[in-house]
Amino acid sequence: MNGGIDVTQHLRSAVTISRNASTSLCSDELDEIRTQLDKNGYSYIRGISPGDFDYPSFAARLGNPIPHHNGELIWDVRLDPTIESIYHAGNMGALLPHTEAVEHPGPPPRYIMLWCVREARGRGGETTLADGYAWMKSLSEETRRSLHSNRYTWKSSDGIIQSGYYSSAVHPILEEFDGRHILRYDYIDVEREDDGLLDAALEDVKEFFGEQQVAVKIEPGCILVWDNWRMLHGRNAFSDPERHLKRMLLSGR
Ligand SMILES: [Fe+2]
């Protein structure tokens, strides 16, 4: 299990920008990032100048920005003391594996992009990722068919509900859209049903994630972007209240 171990230095899907990329990336660099997203489901980009880089313009070259639940295009992921005791990105606890926006009706955001204002100092705070398509491949044909047909109710996390927003959607764990598979999964924010399938799938993904995850401590001057139709993500707990990331949600192109 890789959880808790920062493997950022030897990720197999990383692009290092060696020139002084102060405001934007060139086409070759973007092509490499897109290739890594297609091949491995994520890309970690190092070597940009954090103070000057135009993150929204870079994001827009990957996909169209989608507003967060509160209407913001760029969401601050940092400590919110009002929700300290609630399961939510705005505290310092671990986040279990999920795909983003299970509560959205219709296709979820294709890409999630995170960058760092200040990393968590000390232990923890890594974003964790595992390949959901590899999990899908481990399933029997019969299980895969059932995961395409059985529909469940997914809802906003308690932290989002606490801040006054609520959304829910009914959909299966596996979908197809535009000729691509979409994995939609959240261990917590789903109405449990005793259909002989859901509980087993939730546990199976959790175990798979524990075994396969890579942990990325996103540092200033770096961007982590992943394919949210394919990758599961989570977070390791941390103890630095100043940790601050920013996030954008993007549709595919
Ligand atoms: Fe998330």
Side-chain angles (χ1 to χ4, degrees):
M1 170 170 170
N2 291 320
I5 299 169
D6 180 13
V7 296
T8 311
Q9 294 312 311
H10 35 96
L11 284 176
R12 63 189 169 129
S13 199
V15 176
T16 299
I17 311 299
S18 50
R19 66 191 173 81
N20 180 18
S22 57
T23 57
S24 64
L25 301 185
C26 67
S27 313
D28 286 355
E29 291 158 347
L30 270 165
D31 286 347
E32 176 62 18
I33 291 161
R34 289 194 185 105
T35 300
Q36 292 188 349
L37 284 167
D38 279 346
K39 192 171 163 209
N40 300 321
Y42 69 96
S43 182
Y44 187 58
I45 304 139
R46 301 186 181 100
I48 58 178
S49 174
D52 307 318
F53 192 75
D54 186 346
Y55 294 93
S57 294
F58 165 68
R61 292 169 80 182
L62 294 175
N64 295 320
I66 298 171
H68 287 80
H69 56 280
N70 58 1
E72 291 176 356
L73 290 179
I74 301 175
W75 192 52
D76 287 290
V77 185
R78 63 179 161 192
L79 188 63
D80 177 350
T82 64
I83 53 167
E84 211 162 340
S85 58
I86 295 174
Y87 180 78
H88 184 56
N91 60 38
M92 298 195 283
L95 295 178
L96 290 168
H98 60 284
T99 61
E100 205 60 43
V102 287
E103 76 275 31
H104 283 201
R110 178 73 193 279
Y111 298 114
I112 310 295
M113 175 174 143
L114 283 177
W115 69 93
C116 180
V117 178
R118 206 193 104 153
E119 79 281 19
R121 304 210 173 136
R123 289 172 63 84
E126 300 88 356
T127 300
T128 47
L129 290 170
D131 186 355
Y133 283 2
W135 175 72
M136 278 170 51
K137 278 190 193 141
S138 74
L139 303 172
S140 69
E141 191 52 47
E142 187 189 348
T143 302
R144 228 186 340 247
R145 255 202 310 273
S146 302
L147 290 173
H148 273 285
S149 59
N150 291 24
R151 295 158 67 82
Y152 306 105
T153 302
W154 311 79
K155 63 172 187 65
S156 303
S157 71
D158 287 348
I160 288 179
I161 295 170
Q162 164 101 350
S163 51
Y165 302 93
Y166 179 80
S167 181
S168 72
V170 177
H171 56 75
I173 290 177
L174 300 181
E175 293 180 297
E176 275 185 37
F177 183 78
D178 234 2
R180 287 184 180 269
H181 295 291
I182 305 179
L183 169 65
R184 307 190 75 181
Y185 172 93
D186 192 304
Y187 187 81
I188 301 286
D189 296 318
V190 59
E191 272 180 26
R192 296 288 181 130
E193 273 182 41
D194 188 14
D195 65 348
L197 181 71
L198 178 62
D199 283 350
L202 292 173
E203 293 302 328
D204 196 35
V205 168
K206 192 162 157 246
E207 189 180 327
F208 172 88
F209 191 85
E211 290 165 357
Q212 300 292 323
Q213 65 184 304
V214 293
V216 185
K217 194 158 196 165
I218 308 169
E219 296 177 323
C222 300
I223 299 170
L224 180 64
V225 58
W226 67 88
D227 183 343
N228 183 54
W229 290 8
R230 166 176 175 175
M231 304 297 285
L232 296 145
H233 70 279
R235 179 182 74 190
N236 291 332
F238 58 98
S239 57
D240 177 1
E242 300 302 317
R243 177 186 188 265
H244 184 186
L245 304 181
K246 285 181 178 278
R247 187 176 82 178
M248 289 186 75
L249 311 174
L250 306 169
S251 67
R253 283 220 188 282

